[in-house]
Amino acid sequence: MEPFKIHIMGCGSAMPTLKHHPSSQVIEIRNKLFMIDCGEGTQIQLRRFKIRFTKISAVFLSHLHGDHCFGLLGMISTFGMVGRTATLNIYAPAYYEPILKKEIDFFCQGLEFDVQFHPVDTKSQKLIYEDRSLTVETIPLVHRVPCCGYLFKEKPTLPHIKRDVIDCYEVPVSQINNIKAGADWTTKDGEVIPNAEFVEPADPARSYAYCSDTRYVPDLYKRVEGVSVLYHESTYVQKDAERAKLYYHSTAQQAAQVAKDAKAGKLLLGHYSSRYDDERPMLKEAQAVFPNSHLTHEGDVFEVG
């Protein structure tokens, strides 16, 4: 099975601390790297965790609060210094485009690569990226500014070939792709061998949903139903639920409820408020609702599948 991993660069919230970096993740899928959010210091984290700058093809920004985007301009500048030539694609709320252009024109003159901006509509769930193996959709969220999450979905793959059966019936190599696509096989004697004899089911398609920052949205689960791994912000513990509502954030218990309702495979917690020295109470509250809940920390790598 091809790699599908989530690399945690930062899992803190707006107030800087010595314990956590601001929000950023790198999604590794089929030897492609995508970044979600780019808080201050993200490029240092890339160095620390030995993630190659040159392989990041796109950055997806959830919204324009500083703890999710202040690291982008510095990273673009560094990309220029290390000789990047490949286009960098930026997906973000539409009103960021003129701001980013002015920043690049002022601070990053002479770049030898293009920065291609893709405006994102945060109010609807839309397909915004597609290649041969992957799609990315927006997930509307409810925050103090326009905000959306992102749903990464692996495209279904073809079934696996039973090599011993192929050899037994002397099927030519040239016909294997046809067999994978569902064709039966007719032997020299005219016997039709059904396709099911030659194949095993394909690996299940995997998916990852990133939901930060947002108030608890009771019907959010419908947009991420059946997702393999869900990251949902858990800024507060439940005793601070009113504060979460006031600042348009969620508690760990609420994040777990979304995961439970969505029948997700796994829940990742993050975007911790700096008011807490210990996140274990968050984990306890989440696991009481959805047992397969996990804290995230800088440097963690989670497999999707």
Side-chain angles (χ1 to χ4, degrees):
M1 187 176 289
E2 294 284 345
F4 192 167
K5 300 178 182 179
I6 305 154
H7 300 259
I8 307 299
M9 301 291 102
C11 55
S13 56
M15 183 64 69
T17 71
L18 296 176
K19 184 176 182 180
H20 291 303
H21 281 248
S23 294
S24 184
Q25 299 181 5
V26 172
I27 311 306
E28 176 186 355
I29 178 168
R30 295 179 176 267
N31 297 313
K32 297 184 288 281
L33 297 183
F34 305 94
M35 179 176 287
I36 310 179
D37 283 338
C38 189
E40 185 178 359
T42 293
Q43 62 174 320
I44 295 173
Q45 295 294 80
L46 293 175
R47 293 284 197 192
R48 177 170 288 123
F49 302 124
K50 297 180 171 57
I51 294 177
R52 290 176 59 189
F53 281 32
T54 55
K55 292 198 70 176
I56 295 173
S57 61
V59 179
F60 297 83
L61 297 182
S62 60
H63 64 294
L64 299 183
H65 278 159
D67 56 320
H68 294 258
C69 65
F70 277 171
L72 180 60
L73 187 65
M75 189 174 73
I76 289 173
S77 177
T78 299
F79 283 174
M81 289 189 287
V82 299
R84 183 186 178 104
T85 58
T87 297
L88 180 66
N89 294 283
I90 307 295
Y91 296 81
Y95 67 94
Y96 185 44
E97 183 173 13
I99 300 171
L100 180 63
K101 185 179 187 304
K102 287 181 179 180
E103 289 178 326
I104 291 174
D105 289 345
F106 189 86
F107 290 105
C108 304
Q109 297 177 19
L111 292 179
E112 296 182 359
F113 65 95
D114 292 330
V115 177
Q116 182 70 44
F117 189 88
H118 303 268
V120 167
D121 177 5
T122 61
K123 295 181 179 180
S124 60
Q125 186 157 2
K126 290 183 178 179
L127 177 70
I128 59 169
Y129 173 89
E130 183 173 16
D131 62 28
R132 292 179 61 184
S133 59
L134 173 73
T135 62
V136 182
E137 299 174 16
T138 50
I139 305 171
L141 300 175
V142 180
H143 197 41
R144 300 192 304 279
V145 298
C147 183
C148 68
Y150 294 100
L151 177 59
F152 289 71
K153 297 169 67 176
E154 190 177 43
K155 290 183 177 180
T157 56
L158 294 173
H160 298 290
I161 288 291
K162 297 178 182 177
R163 190 71 219 191
D164 56 338
V165 180
I166 289 287
D167 292 341
C168 175
Y169 286 101
E170 299 179 341
V171 177
V173 173
S174 62
Q175 297 303 307
I176 289 180
N177 282 340
N178 291 335
I179 298 290
K180 284 186 174 182
D184 297 329
W185 176 250
T186 303
T187 68
K188 296 176 183 178
D189 299 328
E191 181 184 3
V192 177
I193 310 300
N195 178 264
E197 295 291 325
F198 295 99
V199 297
E200 294 178 331
D203 297 324
R206 299 164 291 178
S207 55
Y208 174 59
Y210 175 91
C211 296
S212 182
D213 298 9
T214 185
R215 260 185 183 177
Y216 173 60
V217 180
D219 63 352
L220 176 60
Y221 76 92
K222 297 177 182 178
R223 299 188 182 276
V224 296
E225 201 154 14
V227 72
S228 304
V229 179
L230 169 66
Y231 173 88
H232 192 294
E233 72 130 281
S234 54
T235 307
Y236 295 101
V237 294
Q238 195 60 28
K239 70 180 180 63
D240 293 321
E242 285 304 312
R243 179 179 289 269
K245 184 177 180 180
L246 175 65
Y247 292 109
Y248 286 76
H249 285 295
S250 300
T251 68
Q253 184 181 107
Q254 290 168 341
Q257 189 63 51
V258 175
K260 179 181 179 180
D261 292 342
K263 297 180 174 60
K266 180 186 296 183
L267 171 65
L268 305 182
L269 304 172
H271 200 266
Y272 313 124
S273 171
S274 60
R275 68 192 294 112
Y276 309 119
D277 293 325
D278 185 358
E279 291 92 29
R280 285 176 295 181
M282 293 181 179
L283 180 62
K284 184 177 180 180
E285 288 185 359
Q287 289 181 333
V289 176
F290 186 78
N292 199 13
S293 298
H294 303 265
L295 296 173
T296 60
H297 296 98
E298 286 77 2
D300 286 348
V301 181
F302 295 91
E303 296 275 355
V304 178

